[in-house]
Amino acid sequence: MKSSLKISEIFYSLQGEGARVGTPTIFIRLSGCKAKNACYAAGIKCDTEFESGKDYLLIEILGWINNNAPQCKEITWTGGEPTDQLDEEIVKYFKDHDYFQAIETSGLNPVPVGIDFICVSPKVAEHVIKKNFPDEVDELRYVRHSGQQIPEPAIKAKHYWLSPHSDGFNINSENLKHCINLCKENVKWKLSLQNHKIWNIL
């Protein structure tokens, strides 16, 4: 098992998107993302800084949680691309400490066994996602610009979300209107806003 993870930031906040919106959770943003070139090619600008970071021992992560959010027993692994670092033994380590664990991934890699809630926000080709996720995931969350068509996912999910691409902390009105119309025309899809930006929290 890895004894440490390179982390851009750890913070305690509310989930701002998708099926778990409003849920208090400890976000652990892992550094690095091997899918970033795919995002750039698709015209998607990441709204988080994930290049920098420092190494944390796993016991140091637990120490941070105990000092800053001892009341919370939920972790959300995010990035960057968390599956570039996260493995089954690390997930088990936190499972053994009674943490519910969610993950937000681009779909680039399979998710380690033991994750409790899987959100795929696709940034890679659908055939790659299909290979990595043969079973149903908890949610699919696609970002859309004005003019982009409804997604055609290669995998199944319990929840299907469309999220308008935002301009930094500002919701782009044209992208929002487009996503609303797509949802109205394709009723299995639901609108997911980045509510944390509206709430002005991390």
Side-chain angles (χ1 to χ4, degrees):
M1 180 178 68
K2 295 178 183 176
S3 61
S4 66
L5 291 168
K6 189 175 182 182
I7 295 174
S8 291
E9 59 180 340
I10 307 177
F11 58 97
Y12 179 46
S13 190
L14 303 182
Q15 175 57 257
E17 304 177 74
R20 301 182 67 247
V21 65
T23 302
T25 187
I26 298 142
F27 288 91
I28 303 179
R29 187 179 308 285
L30 299 183
S31 300
C33 181
K34 293 178 181 176
K36 65 182 180 181
N37 290 336
C39 288
Y40 297 154
I44 299 171
K45 183 179 180 181
C46 192
D47 60 358
T48 56
E49 195 285 309
F50 56 82
E51 297 289 358
S52 63
K54 60 176 274 189
D55 289 331
Y56 282 77
L57 296 173
L58 300 187
I59 191 68
E60 290 177 316
I61 298 173
L62 279 180
W64 188 99
I65 294 172
N66 290 331
N67 287 332
N68 293 276
Q71 70 276 29
C72 184
K73 298 300 289 186
E74 298 200 9
I75 290 171
T76 297
W77 298 102
T78 186
E81 176 45 60
T83 59
D84 286 345
Q85 294 191 61
L86 204 60
D87 63 28
E88 185 176 335
E89 290 185 327
I90 293 173
V91 171
K92 183 179 184 302
Y93 177 85
F94 288 95
K95 181 74 70 179
D96 289 345
H97 286 84
D98 300 322
Y99 285 94
F100 177 97
Q101 296 173 78
I103 193 168
E104 299 175 343
T105 174
S106 68
L108 180 67
N109 306 306
V111 164
V113 172
I115 292 290
D116 300 292
F117 187 94
I118 299 171
C119 169
V120 181
S121 183
K123 305 295 189 299
V124 294
E126 290 291 337
H127 73 272
V128 176
I129 296 169
K130 185 175 183 179
K131 179 188 71 173
N132 291 334
F133 298 90
D135 300 319
E136 183 181 60
V137 298
D138 293 289
E139 63 182 21
L140 280 168
R141 195 189 304 154
Y142 285 78
V143 176
R144 278 295 178 263
H145 292 274
S146 177
Q148 284 186 303
Q149 299 303 308
I150 197 75
E152 296 183 4
I155 64 172
K156 293 183 178 180
K158 295 174 184 174
H159 302 277
Y160 297 84
W161 302 99
L162 295 180
S163 181
H165 191 277
S166 58
D167 301 324
F169 257 72
N170 299 312
I171 294 175
N172 182 291
S173 61
E174 288 302 313
N175 295 341
L176 174 58
K177 289 176 185 176
H178 180 61
C179 286
I180 289 172
N181 288 332
L182 286 177
C183 290
K184 289 167 69 177
E185 294 165 2
N186 303 271
V187 296
K188 86 172 181 180
W189 294 88
K190 296 175 282 188
L191 181 69
S192 176
L193 297 180
Q194 292 180 305
N195 287 285
H196 50 286
K197 295 182 177 180
I198 300 171
W199 303 332
N200 196 29
I201 62 174
L202 286 175

